[in-house]
């Protein structure tokens, strides 16, 4: 019985303490000109403005850019596999200057450069990239696309 009485008293003291503590916290959060009612369980209504509806569908230009990026990455993957085939055929050996230039072209393609731009910036003739790409397209899982 003493235990139940002690729990009841401590519970009522604790409830009083939490109400006082929450009132102190609320007064610290809000400016002095706002009055807080005794009902702590209700929240103040905050006015909001409706925002404009944002169009979520990508534009035609954005879609074209993404498609060009995907094709460019696919071409880079084909050339990378074609470089392995060229090494096996002893056309371009690992670590040579041409090998490193082709690796530069692959990196440029993966960053979105076109085939002509990657060819010019890396110093690899377009005919070499075309041959590597042709060899790379013979691998399983290669997609077919038209490159101009």
């Amino acid at each position: 019985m003493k235990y139940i009485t002690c729990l009841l008293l401590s519970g009522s003291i604790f409830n009083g303490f939490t109400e006082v503590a929450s009132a102190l916290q609320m007064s610290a959060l809000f400016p002095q000109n706002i009055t807080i009612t005794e009902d702590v369980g209700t929240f103040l209504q905050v006015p909001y403005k409706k925002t404009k509806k944002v169009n979520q569908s990508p534009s035609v230009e954005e879609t074209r850019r993404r498609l060009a990026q995907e094709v460019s990455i696919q071409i880079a993957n084909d050339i990378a596999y074609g470089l392995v085939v060229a090494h096996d055929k002893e056309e371009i050996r690992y670590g040579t200057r041409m090998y490193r230039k082709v690796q530069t072209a692959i990196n440029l393609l993966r960053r979105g450069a076109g085939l002509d731009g990657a060819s010019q910036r890396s110093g690899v003739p377009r005919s070499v990239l075309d041959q590597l790409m042709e060899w790379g397209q013979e691998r399983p899982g290669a997609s077919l696309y038209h490159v101009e």
Side-chain angles (χ1 to χ4, degrees):
M1 189 68 170
K2 288 182 185 181
Y3 182 71
I4 295 174
T5 308
C6 182
L7 284 177
L8 290 174
L9 286 176
S10 65
S12 64
I13 292 171
F14 184 70
N15 285 339
F17 176 73
T18 56
E19 288 175 8
V20 170
S22 65
L24 287 175
Q25 288 175 354
M26 295 294 277
S27 64
L29 291 176
F30 294 108
Q32 296 299 325
N33 59 355
I34 296 177
T35 58
I36 300 174
T37 62
E38 291 184 24
D39 187 12
V40 181
T42 61
F43 296 102
L44 297 174
Q45 294 281 336
V46 178
Y48 67 94
K49 295 179 183 177
K50 285 190 172 183
T51 57
K52 289 189 243 177
K53 187 175 181 180
V54 179
N55 188 3
Q56 296 295 330
S57 63
S59 66
V60 173
E61 182 180 311
E62 178 70 18
T63 304
R64 285 183 184 162
R65 188 189 63 78
R66 286 183 185 175
L67 182 62
Q69 178 74 22
E70 289 176 15
V71 169
S72 183
I73 290 171
Q74 187 65 39
I75 291 171
N77 292 341
D78 290 343
I79 292 173
Y81 190 81
L83 193 58
V84 173
V85 173
H87 177 73
D88 291 342
K89 292 183 177 187
E90 297 183 1
E91 297 285 332
I92 300 175
R93 302 296 293 171
Y94 176 80
T96 61
R97 181 178 295 169
M98 180 56 76
Y99 184 90
R100 291 192 308 265
K101 286 182 178 182
V102 171
Q103 288 290 340
T104 301
I106 291 168
N107 287 331
L108 289 168
L109 284 165
R110 287 189 175 145
R111 285 188 276 149
L115 197 54
D116 289 328
S119 172
Q120 290 175 355
R121 290 176 59 190
S122 66
V124 179
R126 172 72 190 258
S127 60
V128 173
L129 292 179
D130 288 339
Q131 180 62 54
L132 292 173
M133 189 170 45
E134 183 181 322
W135 286 337
Q137 288 175 350
E138 295 172 5
R139 75 183 193 282
S143 65
L144 301 176
Y145 45 83
H146 177 69
V147 178
E148 295 177 5

